[in-house]
Amino acid sequence: MKKGINKNNNLIKFLIILGIVICSLSLVAAHQPRITDGDYSLLENAVLIEQPEISQAFYGQLTGKPVYYKITSDKPFKLYVGILIPDISGVQKNFMSVEVTDSAGNSVLFLNGSDYDWKPYFEEFGGDQYLEGPEARKNVTAGTYYIKVFNSNNQGKYSLAVGEIESFPPLESLQAMVLLPILKQQFFEKNIVVFLLQFVGIIIALGTLTVMLSLNLKAKKSEEWLETALKVNPYIKNFYWIGFILTIILWLAHYISNPLNILGIINTLVLVILVIMSYNLNKKFANITMDKLYLKRSVALYVLWWLFVFLTVTVI
């Protein structure tokens, strides 16, 4: 029996480590996301791009005027610029052009999107579809440069890629995870109904787990609460599994539609760990005592559930 438990614990540890490694690798392969929100239609208030050689993606929208970005460097650097637009079914495609000029107004790079053969591009980290436009790179001297994003009517959404050095320090990784759900809704116009349906099972399962964890925490303080937990847990655990099974079905239905999404793969891995941990705790909760409430495992399961929730929000 102990060997079986140890094997399960080792498997859980292995899956957690594997998930962290995969997550780290996926972040390395992505641009640092930035949201351009505001009026940047004049050179005087251009969006400042720091560390221009670091791979960054600026998500914005033209609303009748061009948008300007500004790079100031005190040393020579390799300038890379690329342009993409979201590939959303049923939405008009507004192809973008990009021009880079120096402080004197001389043209340094020009990406003509109107005459370019835009190609479909699947971004594996967020699992989103783009149309990829022209790109260019050039070694430039120290100085100030302006990047202008525009088209004939200055309308449409775009993603401006700058820099080619992949870098994702911890704070950037956290910021990327926070921004992705916003981009899903604002930039890719994800359906809010699908989003809500996905969370029906999660609400049931996580809500039930919250009640069970609260009861077990109180059971640590008195025999009376312990008896209550022993009586209630067998009943409410059924609701937990109903919510969990519903979560699995809804998630797999979503995942199958986009199996190449790296975050989707990671989230599926988290779901597998949740199944294993839930199965182990399910048997133990029926025989809890004051000395064996399995609080550490319960808290670990609770935290893992919130990780699943966060990744689900990000992917959908």
Side-chain angles (χ1 to χ4, degrees):
M1 182 69 177
K2 289 185 177 180
K3 287 184 178 180
I5 294 174
N6 289 333
K7 284 183 179 180
N8 286 333
N9 289 337
N10 290 335
L11 178 60
I12 292 171
K13 291 177 182 178
F14 169 75
L15 291 174
I16 291 173
I17 293 172
L18 182 62
I20 293 172
V21 171
I22 295 175
C23 188
S24 301
L25 291 175
S26 67
L27 284 170
V28 168
H31 296 286
Q32 294 181 5
R34 306 278 188 266
I35 295 179
T36 303
D37 187 15
D39 184 7
Y40 302 101
S41 58
L42 300 174
L43 292 177
E44 291 76 14
N45 65 340
V47 179
L48 180 62
I49 298 177
E50 299 177 348
Q51 298 180 298
E53 290 188 297
I54 299 297
S55 179
Q56 303 170 67
F58 294 85
Y59 294 84
Q61 182 172 4
L62 301 184
T63 56
K65 300 176 182 178
V67 172
Y68 287 94
Y69 295 83
K70 178 181 179 180
I71 295 174
T72 298
S73 178
D74 57 2
K75 60 182 180 181
F77 66 98
K78 185 177 182 179
L79 175 64
Y80 167 81
V81 178
I83 190 73
L84 303 94
I85 62 173
D87 188 7
I88 305 172
S89 178
V91 177
Q92 181 181 351
K93 309 299 186 293
N94 294 289
F95 300 127
M96 302 287 167
S97 295
V98 178
E99 183 177 19
V100 182
T101 57
D102 60 21
S103 56
N106 300 312
S107 182
V108 177
L109 290 173
F110 181 66
L111 282 61
N112 188 352
S114 59
D115 294 334
Y116 188 80
D117 182 19
W118 292 67
K119 297 177 175 60
Y121 169 69
F122 177 73
E123 201 279 300
E124 294 180 347
F125 178 62
D128 298 307
Q129 300 286 347
Y130 294 83
L131 288 178
E132 187 175 29
E135 61 179 356
R137 52 184 60 80
K138 184 176 183 179
N139 292 319
V140 296
T141 59
T144 297
Y145 298 89
Y146 294 95
I147 303 174
K148 177 184 177 183
V149 180
F150 65 100
N151 57 23
S152 59
N153 58 357
N154 287 320
Q155 296 290 338
K157 298 177 180 179
Y158 66 88
S159 175
L160 175 69
V162 177
E164 293 185 286
I165 299 175
E166 307 294 351
S167 174
F168 254 100
L171 287 178
E172 282 293 343
S173 300
L174 179 60
Q175 179 175 303
M177 299 293 282
V178 172
L179 287 179
L180 274 174
I182 300 174
L183 290 173
K184 294 283 186 180
Q185 183 181 14
Q186 295 183 359
F187 197 73
F188 291 98
E189 302 178 9
K190 296 295 183 178
N191 193 331
I192 192 65
V193 175
V194 175
F195 177 84
L196 292 175
L197 284 176
Q198 185 68 45
F199 278 82
V200 172
I202 292 176
I203 291 171
I204 297 173
L206 191 53
T208 305
L209 180 61
T210 302
V211 174
M212 294 171 69
L213 180 58
S214 299
L215 285 173
N216 288 353
L217 285 170
K218 290 181 179 295
K220 190 177 182 180
K221 299 178 180 179
S222 70
E223 289 285 348
E224 184 179 350
W225 277 109
L226 178 62
E227 291 180 8
T228 302
L230 285 170
K231 291 179 181 178
V232 174
N233 282 346
Y235 293 99
I236 61 176
K237 74 177 183 180
N238 294 328
F239 290 98
Y240 175 79
W241 284 107
I242 290 172
F244 201 172
I245 292 171
L246 186 58
T247 298
I248 293 172
I249 293 172
L250 290 171
W251 170 252
L252 290 179
H254 173 79
Y255 175 69
I256 290 172
S257 67
N258 193 1
L260 298 179
N261 185 345
I262 292 178
L263 282 182
I265 295 172
I266 295 171
N267 210 28
T268 302
L269 183 61
V270 172
L271 189 61
V272 171
I273 300 173
L274 282 173
V275 171
I276 296 172
M277 293 183 68
S278 296
Y279 176 75
N280 286 334
L281 277 176
N282 181 60
K283 295 186 295 183
K284 297 180 184 302
F285 275 172
N287 301 300
I288 59 173
T289 64
M290 292 285 287
D291 297 325
K292 288 187 178 182
L293 292 171
Y294 306 102
L295 292 178
K296 289 183 179 180
R297 295 188 184 187
S298 299
V299 171
L301 179 64
Y302 191 74
V303 171
L304 200 62
W305 260 107
W306 278 109
L307 175 60
F308 177 80
V309 171
F310 189 71
L311 287 173
T312 301
V313 172
T314 302
V315 172
I316 295 177

